Amino acid sequence: MKRLAQGIVLLLVLLLGLLAAAPFTASGTRLLLALLPSFAPLQVEYHSGRLAGQLRLQELVLATEDFELRLTDLRTELEPACLWQSRFCFGQLDLGNLSFEVFAGGEEDAVAEPTGSEPLLLPVSVLAPVVRIEALQVHWPGGSWQQQRASLAVQLNDSGIVVDEALIAGGLLSLDVDPGDAANADPQPLVLPEVALPLSLVVESLELQAPRLRVGEFEQGLERLSLGLRWQGAGLALASLEVDSVEWGTLNAVGDLHLAGAWPMALQLEASPANAIVPAAFHGRSLQLRLEGQADALAVALSVA
């Protein structure tokens, strides 16, 4: 009996040793990645390398009933010390393509789960101070965001995503707008899409170079846009927004929006319009605007400085 107990202890020590050593070998890494779907809604296609060092994955997919996150051609350099803290810390993280799709809920879900419900809890914790992305697409009911190359510092935890700083070259934000039946004799109210994230997103600093905005058939390009925000559900708190346009001038804004219903908002804006779009009396002057109310019935206060 004593020898049996000693044998069991020795076997357990051996198994724990193999498990601890697994991230340091390619074969052990393949084994651990194969076990991941048993503990989280993850699908992984291994390419080469090891977890505790340089690793390349063909594809990684995180799928739930509400969204799907898909990464392709993922190259990482993982810091092993973080694994014992149940975290993934990357000295460097390169992505060939990242796509994120939020699924539309059924009518019953829309009634049972009003905007502002608790956010989703992510099953993994990630710290990545150096992230490079070759292409990114985000789709949600009512709109999409597409871009090419980007560099950023990001954190993921059970409460959401934090972007410490990001630089994005190009990008297109598309919003689907249904203004109602224009041929109808009775005026129809403006119908804006609900843009609600199923998790919390905090952006400390984001700069977009040459972005474009498309709302219905309208499209406008900018030279630069920078912002900081906190977004949860349909509630968006805008800490800062700076817009530069050769055609329109410059704009700074802060405030709050609710991206559902008629998009109620409370925004403070300061604009320095380009001379080409204002009378000579306004050349070199700035406009102070206060917007309050819903998008289809805004109260506007204007002053000139």
Side-chain angles (χ1 to χ4, degrees):
M1 183 64 70
K2 184 178 180 180
R3 289 187 176 182
L4 177 59
Q6 291 175 339
I8 292 175
V9 171
L10 181 60
L11 179 60
L12 289 175
V13 171
L14 179 60
L15 289 175
L16 289 174
L18 290 173
L19 183 61
F24 297 89
T25 67
S27 58
T29 292
R30 285 196 297 268
L31 175 61
L32 290 178
L33 293 177
L35 293 174
L36 272 179
S38 301
F39 303 96
L42 288 169
Q43 299 177 23
V44 183
E45 290 187 25
Y46 174 82
H47 185 278
S48 60
R50 53 195 176 89
L51 278 173
Q54 295 183 343
L55 174 68
R56 182 178 179 184
L57 300 179
Q58 193 69 31
E59 186 174 64
L60 186 149
V61 180
L62 171 61
T64 73
E65 295 181 354
D66 300 284
F67 70 88
E68 179 182 276
L69 174 65
R70 184 179 298 270
L71 313 177
T72 59
D73 194 16
L74 174 62
R75 302 167 186 260
T76 71
E77 184 177 345
L78 187 65
E79 299 176 2
C82 283
L83 294 175
W84 315 122
Q85 305 169 15
S86 300
R87 300 178 65 192
F88 293 90
C89 302
F90 297 97
Q92 187 169 329
L93 196 158
D94 295 331
L95 299 174
N97 187 79
L98 185 156
S99 65
F100 183 75
E101 182 176 1
V102 179
F103 303 131
E107 295 182 2
E108 294 180 0
D109 293 338
V111 174
E113 299 181 6
T115 300
S117 60
E118 294 184 2
L120 292 174
L121 300 180
L122 297 178
V124 294
S125 178
V126 177
L127 176 63
V130 180
V131 180
R132 290 187 289 262
I133 303 173
E134 290 300 317
L136 180 147
Q137 306 88 35
V138 181
H139 298 272
W140 61 88
S144 66
W145 168 259
Q146 301 178 58
Q147 68 179 60
Q148 296 301 314
R149 188 166 299 176
S151 61
L152 64 155
V154 65
Q155 302 178 51
L156 281 75
N157 51 49
D158 59 358
S159 61
I161 301 174
V162 178
V163 179
D164 293 314
E165 59 179 337
L167 177 63
I168 298 172
L172 171 64
L173 173 63
S174 299
L175 298 176
D176 301 328
V177 177
D178 181 8
D181 187 3
N184 195 312
D186 297 326
Q188 297 295 314
L190 178 67
V191 179
L192 293 169
E194 178 175 348
V195 185
L197 291 185
L199 44 73
S200 172
L201 172 64
V202 176
V203 177
E204 299 293 348
S205 175
L206 168 65
E207 180 173 334
L208 302 169
Q209 298 176 340
R212 291 179 293 147
L213 170 65
R214 180 184 296 155
V215 181
E217 297 182 357
F218 170 82
E219 185 169 336
Q220 177 65 49
L222 303 171
E223 273 59 54
R224 186 185 70 91
L225 183 151
S226 64
L227 59 81
L229 60 81
R230 182 180 297 271
W231 188 354
Q232 181 173 318
L236 191 153
L238 190 62
S240 65
L241 172 66
E242 299 179 5
V243 180
D244 292 332
S245 169
V246 171
E247 183 179 354
W248 296 94
T250 63
L251 173 71
N252 298 324
V254 296
D256 298 292
L257 300 90
H258 189 74
L259 306 181
W263 285 26
M265 65 186 73
L267 296 174
Q268 184 70 42
L269 302 94
E270 180 178 357
S272 297
N275 291 344
I277 64 172
V278 294
F282 291 94
H283 289 183
R285 308 185 70 177
S286 63
L287 307 177
Q288 309 283 337
L289 296 95
R290 174 74 180 178
L291 306 179
E292 291 190 24
Q294 301 185 136
D296 57 354
L298 279 176
V300 181
L302 172 65
S303 62
V304 181

